[in-house]
Amino acid sequence: MTRAWDAGLAAERDAWRAALGTAGFSDDGATLHGPVRWLHPDGQTVTATIEVTATESFPFTPPRVRILDPGAELELTFHRERDGALCLWGADVAVDDAPWSEPAQLLARVAGWLAETAAGWPGDDDCDLERYLQPDSRMVLYDRDILVATRGCVRTFTDAGGQRVTVSGEPQRPPSRWRVNKQGGGRRNHRRRPRVGRKQRRLAWVADIGQVDRVIADWDTLCAVLGSDTSEVRRLVSIGVVEFVILRYRRADADGVLALAVAPALRGNGYEVRACESADTSVATRMLRAGSTAFDLADRRVAVIGVGAVGSFVADLLFRHGVRRMTLIDPQLLRPGNLVRHLAGEAMVGYPKAAAVKAKLAGLGFDVSGVDYQRDRLSTPEQAIRVIRDHHLIIDATANQRATALLAWASSQIAHPVVSVCVQRQGGVVRVDRFPRRGDEQHLDPLPPSTAFDLGREHGCDEPVSVTPPAAVVAAAQLTCRVAIDELTLGCALPATLLDVLIPQEPPYDVLGMHTGSTP
């Protein structure tokens, strides 16, 4: 029995194949073969012969297209898969308007691909040389700022699992080409392998090969771009010293890095070349995803008071957004029961919560020297005044009415903002208030406590435990971070209260969504 959706797709594919047939393509039931006319850069119109195959994922992905005969002398270079299939569209092309589903657009795209290839892909800046080689399972890490000044042999460091290789900027002198035969009066003995020291193993060879106009697909094409370094690299690979070749290159105005794993072939006299996934560890690259405000936040001082469930995620989000000067304050130790809603993990149980959060931030790979932590409880006006005076912004995540009142009072004495967050109604409502108010602003009225929920109790802990779910904690942290960034960047666009209803409550909070305090 044919499924309705299967029949619909089959009909679409049949119509597509028929349309290619009218364009002169033959169809053997599996692949189609036919002509494509394209304009050569010399002005001549050329007819190529191509092979088109609709894969099982068609029409949600483009068909597989291979060039059987370009119709003119042509070296096929970029924008191909390893098996020769053409890369005609990027993954960002919307499937709803898939141009490959229209045969005329497909053939026009192939014609353009051939013309671009014949012209040498002028202006093309895709730095994806790794796609033309068999992959290696390891990831190679490098710091772009260090790599740019590096050339020749450098040391690498591999993690215990063997999956992560870090290329250092530390030069390493390779073994000499020959060993002295002392018994033979100091004569050179070319038949003896040089002695390879412990530090002379698993090295990387770093080179800058400039503009690239062809792919690197094997050892021979690698040697072609290495130029005068070829002989030395071949020697070092053959004796097991160099295991990686790191190539800096350019495509148009874009810079790229290709990390290759190289080794003598297991059979024969050749060499194997595989592409490793590579990644830049520099701060600039790490911060690309931090948002447009990251630079503005770097020198702002923030104190997070209460780094339990919500506060730990607030600290994490602000640090990821670019805040690098932070004070974490909390009096408690991390308990096993905290873990389901806390940023930290099992390894930090028994440590101060503030220390546990700093340890997690350190794991992101950024400098945490500007992050301080204190195992302390905010309880006096003097403490509140001091912490507000020393920071541009205070995050109150204590969920303690006394601490919140103390900080609100202190913010009225020193005009530095305090952002107070709490999760209410067992995760049904998230509320963020900012102090002091500006002009005629008003906070929303307090949400009355509900007696409809029972608090849990944890063995060994005298205080009742909220059963607020983790999703509500993360939602509270996200809303707090939004308000904090608005204050730190002087946007001042948000009202004094943001209250997000996650689970409908009694009126006026019986509808999901955001409620706000009045604005001036």
Side-chain angles (χ1 to χ4, degrees):
M1 180 177 178
T2 303
R3 294 163 295 192
W5 62 265
D6 203 6
L9 288 176
E12 184 176 349
R13 289 168 179 158
D14 289 343
W16 177 80
R17 301 177 82 95
L20 280 175
T22 62
F25 278 72
S26 62
D27 188 351
D28 61 10
T31 58
L32 298 101
H33 302 81
V36 172
R37 293 172 62 82
W38 60 282
L39 183 64
H40 196 278
D42 65 7
Q44 299 296 315
T45 299
V46 183
T47 301
T49 302
I50 67 171
E51 174 188 270
V52 182
T53 305
T55 65
E56 291 183 353
S57 57
F58 182 85
F60 300 98
T61 58
R64 183 175 178 273
V65 178
R66 293 178 62 246
I67 304 296
L68 301 179
D69 179 6
E73 185 175 347
L74 184 65
E75 179 184 2
L76 304 184
T77 54
F78 301 104
H79 297 286
R80 293 187 303 144
E81 303 293 351
R82 288 190 298 274
D83 62 1
L86 309 188
C87 299
L88 296 172
W89 284 280
D92 57 340
V93 176
V95 175
D96 291 344
D97 300 320
W100 53 82
S101 63
E102 295 292 336
Q105 293 189 52
L106 172 65
L107 299 182
R109 190 73 171 186
V110 175
W113 187 96
L114 288 162
E116 287 290 303
T117 299
W121 291 99
D124 182 54
D125 60 359
D126 280 359
C127 295
D128 56 356
L129 290 186
E130 62 277 355
R131 74 185 306 163
Y132 307 105
L133 290 152
Q134 289 295 325
D136 187 277
S137 62
R138 292 167 291 185
M139 174 177 281
V140 173
L141 305 179
Y142 62 89
D143 187 315
R144 182 182 62 183
D145 298 332
I146 296 175
L147 196 68
V148 72
T150 303
R151 185 182 183 279
C153 272
V154 296
R155 297 187 67 191
T156 67
F157 303 94
T158 305
D159 73 323
Q163 286 298 111
R164 185 177 69 238
V165 179
T166 302
V167 177
S168 75
E170 180 182 348
Q172 177 62 54
R173 183 176 180 179
S176 60
R177 287 183 172 273
W178 46 270
R179 290 176 58 192
V180 174
N181 184 345
K182 295 182 178 179
Q183 295 180 346
R187 294 176 298 175
R188 296 181 180 181
N189 185 342
H190 295 279
R191 293 174 297 179
R192 299 185 64 185
R193 293 171 64 88
R195 184 185 302 277
V196 178
R198 180 178 58 84
K199 291 185 178 181
Q200 294 173 321
R201 299 182 185 277
R202 310 203 74 176
L203 301 184
W205 184 277
V206 180
D208 188 335
I209 60 175
Q211 286 285 342
V212 173
D213 58 5
R214 62 183 58 192
V215 303
I216 298 172
D218 50 31
W219 177 257
D220 290 337
T221 50
L222 172 60
C223 290
V225 300
L226 286 173
S228 60
D229 291 337
T230 298
S231 175
E232 180 68 352
V233 172
R234 181 186 289 112
R235 180 183 76 88
L236 296 177
V237 173
S238 68
I239 62 177
V241 169
V242 164
E243 291 192 20
F244 303 94
V245 173
I246 313 299
L247 301 176
R248 301 193 303 271
Y249 67 94
R250 282 170 291 284
R251 294 275 293 136
D253 294 328
D255 294 324
V257 172
L258 177 63
L260 303 174
V262 292
L266 296 178
R267 297 180 180 178
N269 297 321
Y271 297 88
E272 293 184 351
V273 181
R274 292 179 177 269
C276 301
E277 184 173 347
S278 63
D280 177 22
T281 63
S282 68
V283 173
T285 293
R286 289 174 184 265
M287 292 303 294
L288 283 174
R289 298 169 176 84
S292 59
T293 61
F295 179 80
D296 298 326
L297 297 175
D299 64 345
R300 310 300 283 173
R301 297 189 304 276
V302 176
V304 182
I305 304 177
V307 286
V310 176
S312 67
F313 282 98
V314 170
D316 180 63
L317 285 174
L318 289 176
F319 192 76
R320 291 173 186 268
H321 271 273
V323 176
R324 292 291 176 266
R325 304 173 70 182
M326 193 180 303
T327 304
L328 309 174
I329 303 174
D330 195 292
Q332 296 180 336
L333 301 179
L334 187 69
R335 301 173 61 86
N338 296 138
L339 298 183
V340 73
R341 290 194 312 226
H342 200 274
L343 177 71
E346 181 76 24
M348 295 305 296
V349 168
Y351 288 85
K353 288 182 178 179
V357 172
K358 179 175 179 178
K360 289 293 293 185
L361 300 184
L364 297 176
F366 296 105
D367 180 14
V368 292
S369 61
V371 178
D372 187 22
Y373 69 88
Q374 302 171 17
R375 187 183 177 189
D376 198 3
R377 186 186 305 275
L378 189 73
S379 59
T380 70
E382 183 180 359
Q383 287 177 301
I385 290 292
R386 183 170 61 249
V387 74
I388 287 184
R389 183 187 59 218
D390 294 342
H391 297 85
H392 294 100
L393 175 70
I394 309 299
I395 303 293
D396 166 32
T398 62
N400 182 291
Q401 293 185 10
R402 296 178 182 179
T404 300
L406 186 58
L407 288 167
W409 167 81
S411 71
S412 68
Q413 307 302 307
I414 300 176
H416 287 186
V418 170
V419 174
S420 181
V421 55
C422 64
V423 182
Q424 299 176 298
R425 301 290 179 88
Q426 306 296 73
V429 174
V430 168
R431 176 172 179 145
V432 177
D433 292 288
R434 185 246 311 140
F435 303 94
R437 294 173 297 181
R438 289 189 283 266
D440 296 329
E441 284 183 323
Q442 295 295 322
H443 291 117
L444 287 177
D445 292 335
L447 185 65
S450 174
T451 59
F453 303 100
D454 293 326
L455 297 176
R457 287 192 177 274
E458 177 186 348
H459 288 292
C461 180
D462 294 333
E463 297 181 357
V465 176
S466 167
V467 293
T468 296
V473 167
V474 175
Q478 182 274 333
L479 189 60
T480 305
C481 185
R482 178 182 170 189
V483 176
I485 291 175
D486 181 61
E487 290 298 311
L488 290 170
T489 58
L490 305 181
C492 301
L494 297 178
T497 300
L498 289 177
L499 187 149
D500 193 7
V501 178
L502 306 180
I503 300 174
Q505 310 292 316
E506 72 277 7
Y509 303 122
D510 52 344
V511 177
L512 296 177
M514 194 71 68
H515 297 252
T516 65
S518 61
T519 55

